[in-house]
Amino acid sequence: MPESCNSRHFSWLMKSCFPNPQDPTSKPLSPNPIITISIPTTTLSSLSDDLLLECLSRVPSSSLPSISLVCRRWSLLLHSPSFLYLRRLHHLIHPTIFTLSAPFAASLRLPDDNDADTNDPLWKVASCLPFPVASLDSLSHARLSAIGSRIYIIGRNEMFCYDVWSGIITSRSSMIYPRKKFATAVLSGKIYVAGGGSRAGAALEEYDPDTDTWRVVAQATRRRYGCIGAAVDGVFYVIGGLKIGAALENEVTRPAAAGAEAYVYASSMDLFDVESRLWLRSRAVPGGGCVVAACAVAGYVYILTSHAVELSFCRFDARRRGGGGSNGKGFGEWCRIKSPPLPAQVRLDSTVRFSCVGVENKVVLIQVSGCIDDLLRRSGRNVRGLKEGLVLVYDCISGVWSRGPHLPEVIRRAACVTVEC
């Protein structure tokens, strides 16, 4: 056997593999039959909810508005707790401060340790939100509550839901009792409101977003006006405001010169356990004074109070201990902490208002109306640099205050909330 194949042998081999066209007995080679295999087509819509959530949770934030409009199923998945959990897991969701001064809105995202962009944060002013013109007066003293990426704008006798991902505003059922300057907070996916003047009485209402219904779940121990709400560990805190001192029927019959209602500043907070539907023992803010702003951050309630010649800042350990029961025991204690960097010996009046929101481990104090420069000038002090829209940020870990970007000029007398988007 030759070690190599020469051209003569190779030519014979090739000829043996093909039929001789001159031979009448040879048959042409028939081609191999083509077998068609049916492969089922897989689309995103055919995936199970778990797999579809995994895909949608990795989509860039800029694409979420269009994705939420694809179909009802996708919209429901995008607003589910599982979607928010996966977005947090992939570091694609961030707490953002949202301010509303109808019809204008603005948002601010504070940088965190995972941000590669080290530029200073800036407010992003949205175009006019499409509220009905007739509703603007009702929203002048609105309160905001956020559940996931949806912001519930609660007015005196109207309520709207604003989806920050799709940009769509829908009308929702209004509260049972018209309220103004009331307390609100979110617990277990439901909104709770209390206070807000004499017409609401002592009714504490609960709103279920799934059924779009309100119901009265308790009667408050105190009637408050201008109060602030916070929520920690299953407890709804109704903080500060003006306390209605006399019976309702006596207040409305007083002369107009003395005012329709007799209020005194309250430096206390009421605690409502949403699971047991019971009011716990009230707490008094140390040092008294008038509560200016309050919010909840990482298991604590932070409160800013104004006194005769100073401001004080304190926190209440709202993490519940074992065996707390319905008497309100089992909580931590008050702790006075560093006050915000505002001029010394300043007493805030009704012309200067602050709002307070929690962003992860930070407390953000936002001046939503008034001018501190004018306040000091009226007291004979010539100080400049503290105009409207002041934003102060307190780091709860380091205990240090810092300045944030000023609130845009078009946003005044605003309501504020933190939303995940």
Side-chain angles (χ1 to χ4, degrees), residues 168-213:
I168 296 177
I169 295 179
T170 55
S171 178
R172 294 298 183 99
S173 298
S174 61
M175 295 178 292
I176 299 175
Y177 297 100
R179 302 171 188 264
K180 182 179 178 181
K181 296 184 179 181
F182 52 91
T184 179
V186 175
L187 283 161
S188 302
K190 297 181 180 180
I191 300 174
Y192 294 85
V193 298
S198 58
R199 294 187 62 184
L204 187 149
E205 296 182 48
E206 175 192 78
Y207 174 74
D208 188 344
D210 295 333
T211 59
D212 188 28
T213 55

Side-chain angles (χ1 to χ4, degrees), residues 9 77 142 155 167 197 315 319 321 332 374 380 387 393 421:
H9 292 155
L77 289 177
R315 72 181 185 189
R319 297 170 297 179
R321 308 293 193 266
D374 295 339
K387 297 182 179 180
V393 181
C421 59

Side-chain angles (χ1 to χ4, degrees), residues 385-407:
L386 295 174
K387 297 182 179 180
E388 297 184 36
L390 179 67
V391 176
L392 300 173
V393 181
Y394 176 76
D395 192 315
C396 301
I397 299 177
S398 64
V400 176
W401 285 93
S402 60
R403 293 281 290 266
H406 278 64
L407 199 65

Side-chain angles (χ1 to χ4, degrees), residues 97-101 104-107 123 144 366 407-408 411 414-417:
I97 302 173
F98 179 88
T99 61
L100 174 69
S101 179
F104 299 102
S107 61
W123 288 95
L144 305 182
I366 305 173
L407 199 65
I411 307 295
C416 307
V417 73

Side-chain angles (χ1 to χ4, degrees), residues 31-301:
N32 294 329
I34 300 176
I35 301 175
T36 303
I37 302 176
S38 177
I39 302 176
T41 304
T42 302
T43 62
L44 281 176
S45 299
S46 64
L47 296 177
S48 63
D49 287 351
D50 293 342
L51 293 178
L52 186 56
L53 276 171
E54 283 288 348
C55 297
L56 296 179
S57 65
R58 302 172 188 269
V59 172
S61 299
S62 57
S63 301
L64 291 178
S66 56
I67 287 179
S68 64
L69 302 177
V70 171
C71 63
R72 178 175 174 81
R73 180 193 176 197
W74 286 28
S75 178
L76 293 175
L77 289 177
L78 259 61
H79 293 96
S80 65
S82 300
F83 179 79
L84 294 176
Y85 170 78
L86 291 174
R87 295 286 288 185
R88 295 189 197 103
L89 197 64
H90 301 319
H91 302 289
L92 294 176
I93 196 168
H94 307 277
T96 302
I97 302 173
F98 179 88
T99 61
L100 174 69
S101 179
F104 299 102
S107 61
L108 172 67
R109 176 191 162 192
L110 298 178
D112 53 33
D113 297 336
N114 297 321
D115 286 336
D117 187 6
T118 57
N119 295 330
D120 293 335
L122 295 175
W123 288 95
K124 295 181 180 179
V125 180
S127 57
C128 295
L129 299 182
F131 291 109
V133 176
S135 302
L136 295 181
D137 181 65
S138 175
L139 299 178
S140 60
H141 295 281
R143 294 288 197 256
L144 305 182
S145 292
I147 302 177
S149 63
R150 290 174 174 173
I151 299 174
Y152 293 86
I153 305 167
I154 312 172
R156 290 194 298 271
N157 45 30
E158 285 186 280
M159 186 171 76
F160 296 91
C161 177
Y162 175 60
D163 192 321
V164 297
W165 285 339
S166 65
I168 296 177
I169 295 179
T170 55
S171 178
R172 294 298 183 99
S173 298
S174 61
M175 295 178 292
I176 299 175
Y177 297 100
R179 302 171 188 264
K180 182 179 178 181
K181 296 184 179 181
F182 52 91
T184 179
V186 175
L187 283 161
S188 302
K190 297 181 180 180
I191 300 174
Y192 294 85
V193 298
S198 58
R199 294 187 62 184
L204 187 149
E205 296 182 48
E206 175 192 78
Y207 174 74
D208 188 344
D210 295 333
T211 59
D212 188 28
T213 55
W214 289 90
R215 63 170 179 165
V216 176
V217 294
Q219 295 294 320
T221 57
R222 296 175 180 174
R223 297 176 178 179
R224 297 175 181 264
Y225 178 83
C227 45
I228 305 167
V232 179
D233 204 2
V235 176
F236 176 33
Y237 292 80
V238 185
I239 309 167
L242 302 173
K243 179 182 176 183
I244 301 176
L248 177 63
E249 57 272 11
N250 292 335
E251 290 177 344
V252 297
T253 57
R254 291 185 179 182
E261 297 170 320
Y263 292 134
V264 295
Y265 281 105
S267 58
S268 63
M269 59 184 186
D270 298 328
L271 289 67
F272 179 72
D273 190 323
V274 299
E275 182 177 357
S276 64
R277 305 297 193 194
L278 296 175
W279 288 95
L280 309 180
R281 182 170 59 87
S282 300
R283 297 295 198 280
V285 179
C290 172
V291 174
V292 176
C295 70
V297 177
Y300 293 87
V301 177

